[in-house]
Amino acid sequence: MAVVIVGAGMAGVQTAVALRQQGHTGSLTLLGAEPHPPYDRPPLSKDVLLGRAEHSRFEIDFDELGIELALGRRAVSLDPDARTVKTDGGDLAYDRLVLATGAAPVALPGQPDSAFLLRTQDDALALRAALRPGTRVVVVGAGWIGAEAATVARQLGCEVTVVEAAASPLAGALPAEFGERTRAWYADAGVDLLTASAVSEITAHAVHLTDGRELAADVVVVGIGARPDNGWLAGSGIPLDDRGAVAADARLRAGRPDVFAVGDCASFPSARYGRRLTVHHWDNALQGARVVAANVLGGEVDYDPVPYFWSEQFGHMVQVAGVIDAGAEPLARGGTTVLWLREGRLQAVLTVDRPRDLTQGRKLIESGAALDPAKAADPDTQLRAA
Ligand code: FAD
């Protein structure tokens, strides 16, 4: 059986490795548009940007595993009836296909080429070369990427301003009261944070805001989100959801029994949360890959994870497990952990510099155990089931 995986990021690489671990002996091709050996993305906005690491390549011996890497080669269209992926380097036939093309960063309308995005290794190395002590950096977007880029730019001695259209940082991801609490982190790090401030134009040496303000900038970094990178599937009949993610089923099949989708490019129905989820985080690419590998090999494994991610910003480790849905009741556990409960059961946990709470909370979400709110609110007791 020939398996082709499109996309050589975390999800594609981990699917390939899991396929071999789970006994796949047929051919295995990993197609990646980027020319570089496959690498991990989280270090790009941390150690690689800071200059503490030159790269974040996966330490995997692809030859030894019999994984054929087809790098610098892009899939351009799919004919699922003929089981053929057309690429800019010729056609690839498959028996099973895995879609793992990740997400592409969103640019501002009219964004000039001189502005930096931060998605790829090339992006990170180019930005790093531009960050010198005293450089005036404007970061557009106070989401995860913007906060991490601002952290590093400041560590490198740049003068940093972050411009955020929403009223508080992390507005797209977390309830406003938590995002609001991170405002002090910006101030403590010496970063100017302008919220409720929209960018109208980026010019050669300035960022212009819609209220008429003009921010002098030597370097502009745009971190305003990413969208599933599925344009090449147009006309293939592979189902996409309303956000452009491949609408996979509970076993991560993509509308056909021989096509699967995993990682940032896909969404899946979560029985646990009662709705379709798109998760743009590292752990989803890892866990989903194992499920896809099992199902490619004929398994019948449902994918219904407790999503997890972390972010390292302004000297703090922020970790979240679960999904924070409107309707879940927040419960503060000391000053640095928030629990969200629904009918006495833990739905989500957010911690700042409290990894033990995160680990225990994640297990409690997975098990669906009930909590005693009074005990759970006490940060000096262990977080455990009632
Ligand atoms: P990707 O990593 O995007 O890989 C997809 C690959 O497919 C890309 O290499 C792309 O070039 C290739 N591709 C796309 N289209 C085609 C095509 N048509 N043909 C061939 N190849 C194609 N998550 C966390 O939980 N914590 C963090 O701290 C964190 N930090 C991050 C920092 C940065 C700078 C970034 C960008 C992301 C970070 N993430 C973090 C998110 C995490 O890295 C992603 O969720 C993860 O990389 C998703 O893996 P993926 O394989 O689905 O997609």
Side-chain angles (χ1 to χ4, degrees):
M1 180 172 73
V3 180
V4 170
I5 301 170
V6 183
M10 181 71 186
V13 164
Q14 295 302 331
T15 301
V17 170
L19 277 165
R20 286 297 186 226
Q21 284 171 344
Q22 295 179 30
H24 175 58
T25 52
S27 82
L28 184 46
T29 305
L30 187 56
L31 182 73
E34 294 179 66
H36 310 295
Y39 62 87
D40 203 14
R41 270 173 225 284
L44 298 182
S45 53
K46 306 171 183 74
D47 281 1
V48 173
L49 193 57
L50 199 50
R52 278 197 195 135
E54 280 311 305
H55 61 76
S56 52
R57 261 175 234 151
F58 293 112
E59 289 184 13
I60 293 170
D61 190 335
F62 292 98
D63 279 349
E64 170 131 6
L65 288 171
I67 298 168
E68 191 184 328
L69 291 178
L71 301 175
R73 196 166 156 193
R74 179 175 288 278
V76 292
S77 67
L78 172 64
D79 182 344
D81 293 328
R83 288 185 164 174
T84 302
V85 176
K86 291 196 186 311
T87 81
D88 55 8
D91 291 0
L92 279 175
Y94 63 84
D95 298 307
R96 300 284 181 279
L97 176 67
V98 179
L99 309 172
T101 47
V106 177
L108 281 169
Q111 177 179 318
D113 289 345
S114 58
F116 292 86
L117 296 166
L118 185 48
R119 180 79 196 176
T120 66
Q121 178 177 303
D122 288 345
D123 293 340
L125 294 180
L127 177 57
R128 185 175 91 181
L131 298 180
R132 309 239 167 268
T135 302
R136 293 165 305 177
V137 178
V138 173
V139 178
V140 183
W144 303 116
I145 297 288
E148 293 195 358
T151 300
V152 172
R154 198 64 197 117
Q155 279 175 286
L156 292 173
C158 303
E159 291 174 25
V160 184
T161 303
V162 176
V163 181
E164 167 58 51
S168 54
L170 302 173
L174 296 179
E177 57 274 23
F178 178 78
E180 204 44 52
R181 278 169 49 191
T182 71
R183 190 182 285 277
W185 301 353
Y186 287 75
D188 291 348
V191 172
D192 280 339
L193 172 64
L194 309 178
T195 49
S197 300
V199 171
S200 58
E201 195 185 6
I202 299 171
T203 53
H205 297 289
V207 172
H208 303 263
L209 305 185
T210 50
D211 62 10
R213 278 178 292 176
E214 183 181 322
L215 309 173
D218 306 307
V219 167
V220 180
V221 185
V222 177
I224 56 171
R227 298 273 175 277
D229 202 355
N230 294 322
W232 70 285
L233 293 172
S236 67
I238 297 295
L240 301 184
D241 67 19
D242 54 4
R243 293 165 164 201
V246 174
D249 70 10
R251 293 185 182 155
L252 298 180
R253 286 172 307 214
R256 302 178 66 101
D258 51 356
V259 183
F260 299 79
V262 62
D264 283 12
C265 75
S267 66
F268 55 90
S270 167
R272 188 187 294 279
Y273 293 102
R275 64 184 171 91
R276 185 162 279 280
L277 298 181
T278 312
V279 181
H280 282 194
H281 298 304
W282 185 92
D283 188 66
N284 175 59
L286 174 67
Q287 308 297 341
R290 293 174 181 157
V291 169
V292 161
N295 290 338
V296 163
L297 298 176
E300 296 186 350
V301 182
D302 282 354
Y303 185 56
D304 200 3
V306 172
Y308 162 72
F309 72 91
W310 79 97
S311 170
E312 294 163 42
Q313 47 180 283
F314 305 113
H316 296 287
M317 172 67 95
V318 181
Q319 293 172 290
V320 179
V323 173
I324 305 168
D325 267 330
E329 283 293 315
L331 175 69
R333 175 177 159 82
T336 55
T337 295
V338 186
L339 309 169
W340 280 268
L341 299 164
R342 190 192 290 268
E343 291 162 13
R345 288 171 210 288
L346 193 58
Q347 299 288 302
V349 53
L350 179 153
T351 65
V352 179
D353 304 324
R354 293 266 297 193
R356 258 180 80 186
D357 275 1
L358 190 286
T359 308
Q360 286 160 345
R362 191 177 182 183
K363 284 188 195 143
L364 288 169
I365 300 170
E366 267 157 4
S367 68
L371 288 190
D372 175 341
K375 284 191 188 142
D378 179 356
D380 296 326
T381 62
Q382 202 186 333
L383 193 54
R384 58 159 68 109

